[in-house]
Amino acid sequence: MEEVVVEEIVRLLELQDDAQLKAYLDDLNISDVEHLIDELPQHAVKFIETLSVKRAVNVFRILDFPTQEKIIKKLPGNKLAELINLLPPDDRTSLFSELKGDAVKKLIILLPAKDRVEALSLLGYEEDSVGRLMTPDYVAVKKDWTVTRVLSHIRRYGKNSETIDVIYVIDKDGILLDDIRIREILLADPEAKIGDLTDQRLIALKASDHQEEAINIFRMNNRVALPVVDENNVLLGIVTVDDILWIANEEYTEDIHKIGGTQALDEPYLDMPILGLFKRRIGWLVVLFLGEMLTATAMAHFEADIAKAVILAMFVPLIISSGGNSGSQASTLIIQAMALGEITIGDWWRVMRREIISGLMLGIVLGTIGFLRIFAWTFFTDMYGPHWMLIGLTVGVALVGVVLWGSLSGSMLPLLLKKLGADPATSSAPFVATLVDVTGLIIYFSVAVLFLTGVLL
């Protein structure tokens, strides 16, 4: 937002010129008002209170939850009641699901009886289900209606619908038969029956489906809205693409946090209390720390060998970091491919074959570099002694094994977690790196025993 706009708003606030402030705010785009609230959060309530109710609703629904919560706590009762009543059902459900129980009760009381039943019904679905996203505001018609009657119905009820880009065809029992784009209705013969315009290529979501499935279906089918049905195929509501984009952003953010080895933050980083940040990070750090303690156990097992050939200890960081890096790469690639629907659990064998080949190729390149490094150093120092070639082979072969194992572990763990019903993102880069650190040491020292027994060991 331009600085001059912010300065003008601040000037009007200082003058307490509410009429001029309202006129100025009404000239701004909804997104500009949202940016203004980000710039001047202390005046957020004032802005919402000053705007006309419809514009206030449109601004409120695109704010992040912490800002919404602050506004709700300070907004006058009459304005709050208007705001909550005019919020679309899906946005209202999203807001209620984030608030604590007492706050939800106070807001639900502000709703008319019909909307109250609707809100409680939507809240009855599981937290991450499609049912929480849907809105019951849609236009449905019967298959035996003519185009003329349908257009009359749309004129009468369309303004209350979330979207009229798509019209839904149902039977007398409310069972969804098909959906039709408004363009096809507008171009059809006025006396044609709607049933004759259907193509039977219906795509629908189940209310119990996970929201991630809805994201993939929207992505693959290029729709602005999709119908939501129950187990008997009765039409319950619709989900629009704006809600899906919002959820997709939240899911992406959550996965990034998990990949980084922390619990997902439910507030912006700078708004998160220090204690909250601590709680979300300490759990993973403790788990990873306990996992890394196994590294010390593995080294203790080979203590005698290390004592005989101290030179081996020099390459421990090199070995375990290479394995951890390859594992983290593979894990990130597979998690992203799964999120985009490019890979399913059934593709595990194809993934394994590709990672075996790529892991070997990567390992051979790194192993060759490791061997050449030791070879080159023999021209400048005698630190490797007369058995430098065996030490070089030990490091080179170990790198091949560790990088291969890292690639396999990083690629298979997300698929295994998905098979067990867990979130693949929890096979985060730090978790894979810790696993490969421990097993990489075992591979390294096992190769050392194979090549150096009777020579240095």
Side-chain angles (χ1 to χ4, degrees), residues 428-441:
S428 58
F431 183 76
V432 171
T434 300
L435 172 65
V436 177
D437 283 354
V438 179
T439 51
L441 280 175

Side-chain angles (χ1 to χ4, degrees), residues 83-102:
L83 187 70
I84 295 300
N85 274 281
L86 287 178
L87 266 181
D90 51 343
D91 292 310
R92 189 190 299 146
T93 302
S94 177
L95 174 65
F96 286 177
S97 64
E98 294 282 356
L99 291 168
K100 294 183 172 63
D102 290 341

